[in-house]
Amino acid sequence: LAVVIDGKALAAKIQKVIRGEVEELKRAYGVTPGLAAILVGENPASEIYVRNKARTCEEVGIHSEVHRLGGETSETELSHRIESLNKNPAIHGILVQLPLPKQIRESEILATVSPEKDVDGFHPENQGRLLLGEPGLRPCTPEGILKILESTGTEISGKKAVVVGRSRVVGKPVAIMLLERHATVTLCHSRTRDLKEEVGRAEILIAAMGKPHTIRGDWIREGSFVVDVGITRAENGKLTGDVEFDTAREHAAYITPVPGGVGPMTIAMLLANTLKAARSIHGVALEG
Ligand SMILES: NC(=O)c1ccc[n+]([C@@H]2O[C@H](COP(=O)([O-])OP(=O)(O)OC[C@H]3O[C@@H](n4cnc5c(N)ncnc54)[C@H](OP(=O)(O)O)[C@@H]3O)[C@@H](O)[C@H]2O)c1
């Protein structure tokens, strides 16, 4: 049976380190990292995400603000709010919780966040830097996935990695990050002709579709590493991943659960990015 990765424990460990570094930044430089989350309109899932992010910030000593704007907010109003946060010296990280209401163009808004405060890594400059392999702020979920792989000492170089899903948030950036670590990467999506065949070749499988239990346990390659990013809330409130967990566990060597796998690591990486942004804005050299 596969080892089940405890994402919560791993995130807690990382948060403890961040907490110490936040304290050190305050002590030595008088800087308290600050994160502003902007929530536009009412979306129960987004409410939960933003609340969790704010709470976790407080746990590690990061100042956090939630800016709630009405569902009728215009693109101009939202960009004015972002511009004022761009100028606010107490704020080092700005995140715009997605999805945004229909009247607002997502790409336009993400491009107004100052790249040095773009802790979600969605600004075109940071996305470009990622593609070029240059330092910058990188998307949190892919960063969390890489940390999960690294936590087990699994070798990535030379491995066949299959990513299912090609979104800007997860699939595309994680594929680039695996490629950077010398995996041989296949990127699958809804037009992929034979998903079962592609999945069957994966030594590292990243499932990021948001389609519950689409990946059958018996498709999984023996001894592989399965990272399930998908989160779908069933009518009974239960969260379900993209992979059939129980049967996949019989084939994989490592597997992440839903919930308690990638989710907590995403938040840990958001904190790490906020700390990194605060250091970089204040010219504090990065260690390691
Ligand atoms: N744990 C976390 O912290 C975290 C963070 C972010 C997202 N998530 C979860 O991860 C999932 C994906 O999120 P996302 O934002 O990347 O979603 P998304 O933007 O909806 O993208 C889904 C991707 O999956 C592909 N896809 C859909 N059905 C498929 C199928 N039957 N076979 C193969 N590919 C298929 C789509 O292909 P096309 O491009 O062809 O349409 C698309 O590229 C969601 O459940 C989301 O809730 C979790």
Side-chain angles (χ1 to χ4, degrees), residues 124-139 143 176-177 180 276:
E125 183 176 319
N126 283 317
Q127 296 251 317
R129 285 176 171 275
L130 171 62
L131 192 64
L132 295 168
E134 287 172 4
L137 292 164
R138 293 183 163 196
E143 288 266 56
I176 293 166
M177 286 160 70
E180 191 176 47
K276 184 173 170 183

Side-chain angles (χ1 to χ4, degrees), residues 125-181:
E125 183 176 319
N126 283 317
Q127 296 251 317
R129 285 176 171 275
L130 171 62
L131 192 64
L132 295 168
E134 287 172 4
L137 292 164
R138 293 183 163 196
C140 302
T141 302
E143 288 266 56
I145 294 168
L146 268 292
K147 282 272 188 274
I148 286 174
L149 296 173
E150 286 163 3
S151 73
T152 61
T154 298
E155 174 79 19
I156 298 175
S157 178
K159 288 268 172 69
K160 288 191 201 316
V162 175
V163 178
V164 190
R166 55 174 163 180
S167 73
R168 159 168 71 188
V169 182
V170 190
K172 246 189 243 180
V174 83
I176 293 166
M177 286 160 70
L178 288 163
L179 186 62
E180 191 176 47
R181 283 166 178 74

